[in-house]
Amino acid sequence: MTAWNVTDIANLLLDAGRMALTYYEDRSPTLKSDRSIVTEADKAIERRLGEYFDAPEQGVYMIGEETNEERGEDYVQQALSGTTWIVDPIDGTAPYTHHLPSWGVSIGFMQNRRLTEGGIFLPATGELAITDGDRVLLGRLGCDPDAWDPSRLEPLTYEGLGNPGRGIVSLAQGVVKRARFSGDYLVHAVGSCVFSVIGLVTASMIGYVASIKLWDIAAGVAMFRKLGFVMKFEDGERFDGEVDERGFLLDPDDPARWKMRTHLYVAVDEATCDDLIRSVVW
């Protein structure tokens, strides 16, 4: 697949969700070298997506959580500068293996190092969000896989909440474990990026703080940009969706390759984003 097509991507996300559910009672979790969890569902879904997205002979590449280490450096450099699909077959594998709803499938699209499009599906809640031109479409499809219908997508009308004082902020596990949060907000500690992205774009949350890898956030970045969210690093520098050394660790010898250099702060407006940066003490 060489271009972003909303219908095709939506159907792929739904198919991946159905695959994940077929493994739901037999998740077979194991530990990877970085001590994160992987299941047979992760591997099977990424293989399936690779059938559509991994086509270097057509000038199209794929960076995925479960297959990135298999890529040669020539492939990676071409992917960074070309047309590339960025996939996370199950973001939130730990919640998935424990039958919590905060997991989902993520597909991002990058051209010339810029994250331009994205789609996320949460099978346990039936929420599907996907970019379409300069807008984001949202579908609340329910929890019955047989009834999932992408034609029910509708344009998301988002009105920023501003800074309501005690809105909910999502904090990633690393923030909760290693920092002190002093902000005057309710806090939700979540084990997946996609769950937080959906929370933000549907106005259930007003902010997100995390240290994340490219495939975790790729689809979310595209949505945030189209909806006018503010994304900043710890030093206050804005993140504009560019995948380069300013924002990511890209050295092939770095064991944390593909991770963001610092924590990313995302919020509904600049005042809230700046307040979140002040609220996290390391």
Side-chain angles (χ1 to χ4, degrees), residues 43 79 87 135 159 169 204 212 243 260 275:
K43 299 173 185 177
V87 304
R135 61 184 184 172
E159 295 183 4
V169 171
S204 297
I212 38 191
V243 180
M260 284 192 153
D275 194 35

Side-chain angles (χ1 to χ4, degrees), residues 131-206:
T131 61
D132 178 26
D134 60 357
R135 61 184 184 172
V136 177
L137 306 180
L138 177 70
R140 300 184 187 275
L141 309 184
C143 299
D144 179 4
D146 294 331
W148 290 342
D149 181 1
S151 68
R152 293 167 55 189
L153 288 165
E154 296 182 352
L156 176 65
T157 302
Y158 183 88
E159 295 183 4
L161 299 176
N163 187 341
R166 291 190 61 81
I168 296 178
V169 171
S170 176
L171 302 179
Q173 296 293 307
V175 179
V176 175
K177 293 176 180 178
R178 291 184 283 275
R180 179 175 63 84
F181 184 78
S182 61
D184 186 25
Y185 305 90
L186 298 173
V187 171
H188 191 179
V190 181
S192 80
C193 181
V194 294
F195 192 79
S196 300
V197 172
I198 295 297
L200 278 166
V201 302
T202 59
S204 297
M205 299 173 178
I206 64 166

Side-chain angles (χ1 to χ4, degrees), residues 225-244:
R225 291 182 63 223
K226 293 173 191 293
L227 292 172
F229 281 76
V230 176
M231 297 178 285
K232 291 186 176 184
F233 295 115
E234 292 173 3
D235 61 2
E237 180 183 358
R238 281 181 177 262
F239 174 56
D240 63 358
E242 196 83 8
V243 180
D244 56 23

